[in-house]
Amino acid sequence: MPAALVCRDTGTRYPLDTPIWRSPAVAPVDSVTPAGLLDIDWPVDASTFPREAIAKRPATMWRYREALPIPAGVEVTLGEGMTPLLAVPERVLESVGALGGSSGTIRPGSQMLLKLDSLHPSGSYKDRGVSVMVSQCRRLGLSHVVEDSSGNAGSSFALYCAAAGIACDIYVPEATSPAKLTQVLTSGARLVRVPGDRQATSDAIWEAAQRHYYVSHAWNPFFFHGTKTFAFEVCEQLGWKAPEAVVVPTGNGTLLLGCWIGFEELRRAGVIDRVPKLIAVQAAHCAPLAGATAFSHTVAEGIAIPRPIRREQCLAAVRDTGGRVVTVSEADTVAALRAAIRAGLYIEPTCATALAATAQLRDLSGTIVLAITGHGLKTNDTIAKLLA
Ligand SMILES: Cc1ncc(COP(=O)(O)O)c(C=O)c1O
């Protein structure tokens, strides 16, 4: 069957160039009810990953162009992707309590690696999803889009829409970090600050999303087909081998699900024979994937999502890959942040949760990749308050 947008509720298929972000076959309910969610059915085979040709292409995520659902010539790119993969410094592992076993080290032959997606044009991994999403907007000939965000997706959309000459309205919670707001404001996007928590922002945009194309990183499936390049890169950087596990700070699950889609595509194409365990990390203060129903403030602002719209899909990704959901305390997150920065890694508190989680992963062996999703400069004020 040809590639298509597929309604998760009815199975209805739509051509990829249909300007929809949810399925018209299902009546809309509200911002937290997953009615009419779409996925992309993207067929792969052995020709999807021409490894020798890929090796000769520029070091951006568009080197996997056969695997991306965007026709050649409409890409909106700022050079995203091919971020470094490097070992977690030993002293960071030691301070976060990741060293276990009788020898006091991670198991022989095992390694923990950081994928520095913080080193992206806008300063977060969101650029992967946004590059594909804004390319799709260009393909559809759109001139005005809307998005809501805890900050990083919004700042990324604002910059990529500026590059593409597309107007965008970005809705954010009032308490969003100033650096992220500055990125939105100075790029020419319209910033809408919504009083209340992240959920209040999703509710506020719902009405605008009925009138404009909603580039939601949670609803719109094109986003996941950008974040899936994280999996392709990890695999290529490991010599076209899958790691044992990937540890992902998770709110709405756009990187978690991108990893699931990406590694699954590599498996279906015959490049790898098994999908890594996917470990979803949440702040204990906001852990709906762990079944929590009470929520309170967390320093991990990027993953403070009490009601993720794709919760069932996130749980399936964890379950089907033999992974798990790990929750981490505020104190352990701050301790991991301090250890990371003292080892030279200036990262957002949100992604320090991945480092903090490693204390609960000492039973794993082999190669474990931690997603470092956002740059510390995005949250300078918070870091100063927490650590200075
Ligand atoms: C730095 C950072 N890490 C991780 C995430 C989590 O992404 P998601 O909500 O799609 O799971 C976010 C989301 O904003 C983020 O800003």
Side-chain angles (χ1 to χ4, degrees):
M1 268 199 275
L5 289 158
V6 184
C7 171
R8 288 183 67 78
D9 295 329
T10 62
T12 314
R13 297 174 73 87
Y14 305 91
L16 283 188
D17 59 358
T18 316
I20 51 174
W21 56 269
R22 60 177 300 288
S23 170
V26 178
V29 181
D30 57 32
S31 70
V32 286
T33 307
L37 276 175
L38 293 168
D39 286 335
I40 293 176
D41 178 12
W42 184 252
V44 295
D45 59 28
S47 69
T48 309
F49 298 97
R51 286 175 251 181
E52 280 177 25
I54 288 171
K56 297 192 191 107
R57 295 178 184 162
T60 81
M61 64 174 227
W62 291 93
R63 65 206 269 113
Y64 309 107
R65 84 140 18 271
E66 292 83 353
L68 297 175
I70 298 293
V74 297
E75 305 89 341
V76 179
T77 176
L78 296 172
E80 53 294 318
M82 284 316 271
T83 56
L85 189 65
L86 71 159
V88 185
E90 185 87 6
R91 64 192 147 122
V92 175
L93 290 178
E94 197 171 353
S95 5
V96 297
L99 302 183
S102 51
S103 64
T105 59
I106 56 172
R107 292 163 188 235
S110 295
Q111 55 176 349
M112 282 207 193
L113 304 175
L114 301 171
K115 176 86 170 144
L116 290 185
D117 259 30
S118 43
L119 300 181
H120 261 116
S122 83
S124 85
Y125 84 94
K126 303 278 187 188
D127 294 357
R128 296 183 185 276
V130 170
S131 178
V132 165
M133 186 74 258
V134 176
S135 300
Q136 173 69 1
C137 295
R138 180 181 269 172
R139 170 203 207 164
L140 296 173
L142 301 175
S143 58
H144 190 168
V145 300
V146 295
E147 162 71 332
D148 61 319
S149 160
S150 66
N152 276 331
S155 58
S156 180
F157 267 114
L159 292 164
Y160 278 78
C161 282
I166 295 173
C168 65
D169 300 343
I170 307 290
Y171 289 55
V172 297
E174 213 168 34
T176 300
S177 290
K180 299 176 186 175
L181 297 182
T182 303
Q183 287 178 297
V184 175
L185 282 169
T186 54
S187 66
R190 189 169 79 92
L191 178 69
V192 183
R193 294 179 74 174
V194 181
D197 62 6
R198 177 67 180 82
Q199 188 54 49
T201 303
S202 300
D203 295 342
I205 199 166
W206 189 247
E207 190 257 330
Q210 309 309 316
R211 288 178 282 112
H212 293 289
Y213 189 67
Y214 186 23
V215 288
S216 168
H217 52 289
W219 279 89
N220 201 314
F222 279 91
F223 201 91
F224 301 89
H225 285 257
T227 54
K228 73 182 181 183
T229 59
F230 182 98
F232 302 161
E233 287 175 24
V234 167
C235 185
E236 184 183 358
Q237 288 168 317
L238 294 175
W240 294 104
K241 292 198 169 55
E244 179 63 20
V246 182
V247 183
V248 187
T250 302
N252 275 309
T254 58
L255 186 55
L256 183 82
L257 294 175
C259 282
W260 194 28
I261 294 167
F263 284 115
E264 262 300 324
E265 289 182 358
L266 289 163
R267 191 192 60 76
R268 280 177 10 234
V271 177
I272 58 175
D273 53 19
R274 55 161 189 90
V275 171
K277 298 179 176 68
L278 295 180
I279 316 285
V281 185
Q282 298 213 292
H285 279 191
C286 188
L289 296 184
T293 49
F295 309 108
S296 52
H297 179 265
T298 170
V299 294
E301 67 181 29
I303 52 174
I305 308 289
R307 283 175 290 277
I309 192 84
R310 293 187 188 257
R311 180 175 183 273
E312 295 313 315
Q313 259 173 303
C314 291
L315 290 173
V318 167
R319 197 176 47 238
D320 281 23
T321 61
R324 62 186 88 157
V325 177
V326 172
T327 62
V328 294
S329 69
E330 297 296 293
D332 287 350
T333 302
V334 175
L337 179 69
R338 178 179 289 112
I341 296 180
R342 292 207 174 158
L345 299 161
Y346 200 66
I347 63 174
E348 270 206 52
T350 298
C351 43
T353 58
L355 283 166
T358 57
Q360 299 174 55
L361 303 174
R362 287 185 306 212
D363 57 309
L364 297 182
S365 51
T367 297
I368 299 165
V369 174
L370 314 184
I372 298 300
T373 46
H375 202 290
L377 291 172
K378 297 286 208 119
T379 52
N380 251 346
D381 296 10
T382 309
I383 294 176
K385 271 186 222 134
L386 292 171
L387 303 183

